[in-house]
Amino acid sequence: MWEFIVQYWAEWAFGLLGTAIIAVAIKYKALLNGVLAILHDRIYQACQHYIQQGYIDASGLKNLEYLYRSYHTLGGNGTGTELYNRAKALPIHDN
């Protein structure tokens, strides 16, 4: 029995290591997707507010740019990009 374990220990070790790496990669992907969803929600909420208001202030625009940069880097596009571009085109009014 021990001879069998000693003979195949490297295969077992690499098998366990491979399984652990796959598990970490799946968790990492889920975490990135969650962050992307939260960023999309924040961009959506902020853009809806500014679009309904009809203008944006400089600090709001800076905040949107900061959110969008991370959102885009993580692969977000589509509705988030469209809303960001609409909000960015609004007149800037500082209170």
Side-chain angles (χ1 to χ4, degrees):
M1 175 70 174
W2 285 107
E3 292 172 9
F4 178 80
I5 292 173
V6 170
Q7 185 177 357
Y8 295 104
W9 73 270
E11 290 179 27
W12 290 9
F14 285 117
L16 290 174
L17 181 62
T19 302
I21 289 171
I22 290 170
V24 168
I26 290 170
K27 293 277 186 176
Y28 182 73
K29 179 70 173 163
L31 180 62
L32 288 180
N33 286 338
V35 169
L36 185 61
I38 291 168
L39 286 168
H40 182 273
D41 180 63
R42 280 296 302 129
I43 290 168
Y44 178 84
Q45 295 297 325
C47 288
Q48 288 296 329
H49 169 75
Y50 292 122
I51 291 168
Q52 287 177 358
Q53 181 174 278
Y55 66 90
I56 191 167
D57 56 26
S59 64
L61 182 58
K62 185 172 179 84
N63 184 54
L64 272 177
E65 287 172 352
Y66 181 72
L67 290 170
Y68 182 75
R69 199 172 325 129
S70 296
Y71 171 79
H72 185 71
T73 300
L74 288 174
N77 290 310
T79 57
T81 299
E82 176 64 29
L83 287 169
Y84 171 70
N85 287 332
R86 285 187 197 174
K88 205 168 67 164
L90 291 169
I92 298 173
H93 290 243
D94 282 322
N95 298 336

